[in-house]
Amino acid sequence: MKGKKYVFYISLAISLCLIAIGVFMPSQLESFSNSSLDFIYNNLGWFILGSVFTFFVFCMYIGLSKFGHIRLGEDSDRPEYKTATWIGMLFSASIGISLVFWGVAEPVSYYIDPPFGKASSEESAKLALQLVYLHWGVSAWACYALVGVSLAFFQFRKKLPSSLSSVFHPLIGDKIRGPIGKGIDVIVILSIVIGIATSLGFGTLQVNSGLNFLWDLPINVSVQTSIIVVVTIIYVASTVSGLQGAMKHLSNLNMLLAFALLAFVLFLGPTQTIFKVFFQGIGDYVQNFVSMSFRTEPYSEGKGTWIASWTLFYFGWWIAWAPLVGSFVARISKGRTIKEFMMGAVFIPVIGSFFWFAVMGGSAIHLIQNMGETALATSVSTDVTSALFKFFDYFPMTTFLSVLAMVLVLVFFITSANSAVFVLGMFSENGNPNPSHSIKIIWGAVIAAISIVLIMTGGLAGLQSALVAMAVPLAVLMLIMCYSTYKGLQAEIRLTMDQQNKKPKKKSLLPEKEAL
């Protein structure tokens, strides 16, 4: 049993060291992280862009080729969750909290500070949604889908442990159970811990801004710590109740709340403009997808800086988040075919994300560009955490919309941490699909502690940079994963053909002459 927990003990020890560094040396941590980040952006940005595009091409290839009919499980298995619930869990467990945080702030930021062209103009308004769609489109979900389909195939089809090291079985065989496999799982666990801690840190800051906006509650560490403690108790309790219970209901609740908020803004806001923004943005995105995906601007220092700050940051962020989201998506996708998985996991969440930004960001830009409400742009540039609540100031029922948004943030907060703790438990117990409650409780407490330490020490930005710096080794790992998964799928096709050839052919019931 102890051997099975080596990954847990090593990962926990490193996580506790990070907490200690955050407490005693926050400035040094931030400085090191930023230096690493600058090196990556200046020297390896092309590698990150190329890797993400490769992931997308690979996902489309295996989804639409002869591999698409392979089921993630036995041939007799069928999906564990209904499609609507599955889609809701995809959103809740991944980028839901980030959508709420950046829904207004990011499009407006691009509008007032575009990578090229005149700022705060019609041109920058069109470009803003195009860039948002690049950052939140198929490139992001391809990272998740790659990890998800690879892990689900080897876990449910080949009956290997539900840990990321299993994906490399076609290349290293049973060494996945040795030091190499354990090293892979430790790297993955650390990326998940750091990623969810920084994300929950952002969520806490936004909730605190909302409470301040609505009820003048002070913005300070004490309030933020209280928020984290309360939410931690809730998400640990819901995790212990199991996926079939709390997670399913919270995901469904999330979808209802998100649809309610979207409906209010859609029908109370500039409805016709929102739909125009939505379709215009998709058209511009599809038309320029390849060129935007490879844009490095090698001849312009200023433009390169913008791309490093936004595009490379986001692509690195999605790579770093891929082990968490991909592992959870794999866990809830048993019984689906690879084609069904790819069409659902890559495109359906993307359309939902695009519409969210069209409603929130499109309405905000409309207020600034067409209605002259430049104060909204000023408030976004001043404090992105309060951007959503400032935006609601221009709508009727401001308080209701703000409260609804805060509840949505909290529920996304809970479900994101819920899925993270569950995946951490799986990896910590050698791929156990039903990890023990004690392991999940420990990881829940560690995540909360890291979030609190980061907020107290002001090191959130530094550790966020460290997460993106981890994108390079993870990208290398994921490129190898593409090859390993391809080999595994090829072997599965050959095995299926051999089994079909060995089946005895049915004899004709007619006499030989009549049969001829």
Side-chain angles (χ1 to χ4, degrees), residues 103-104 107-108 129 277 356-366 391:
V104 170
V108 173
L129 266 294
V277 166
W356 180 275
F357 279 108
V359 173
M360 299 297 177
S363 299
I365 292 176
H366 169 77
F391 169 67

Side-chain angles (χ1 to χ4, degrees), residues 218-237:
I219 298 178
N220 56 39
V221 173
S222 299
V223 174
Q224 291 158 2
T225 301
S226 300
I227 293 170
I228 291 175
V229 170
V230 171
V231 172
T232 299
I233 293 172
I234 296 173
Y235 76 68
V236 168

Side-chain angles (χ1 to χ4, degrees), residues 355-410:
F355 193 65
W356 180 275
F357 279 108
V359 173
M360 299 297 177
S363 299
I365 292 176
H366 169 77
L367 285 169
I368 302 168
Q369 173 71 16
N370 299 335
M371 306 298 291
E373 301 291 351
T374 56
L376 178 59
T378 303
S379 58
V380 169
S381 62
T382 302
D383 180 16
V384 293
T385 64
S386 63
L388 183 64
F389 305 106
K390 298 288 186 183
F391 169 67
F392 288 147
D393 245 350
Y394 297 91
F395 287 81
M397 297 189 291
T398 299
T399 302
F400 173 77
L401 289 175
S402 299
V403 170
L404 182 61
M406 271 211 307
V407 173
L408 185 61
V409 169
L410 286 170

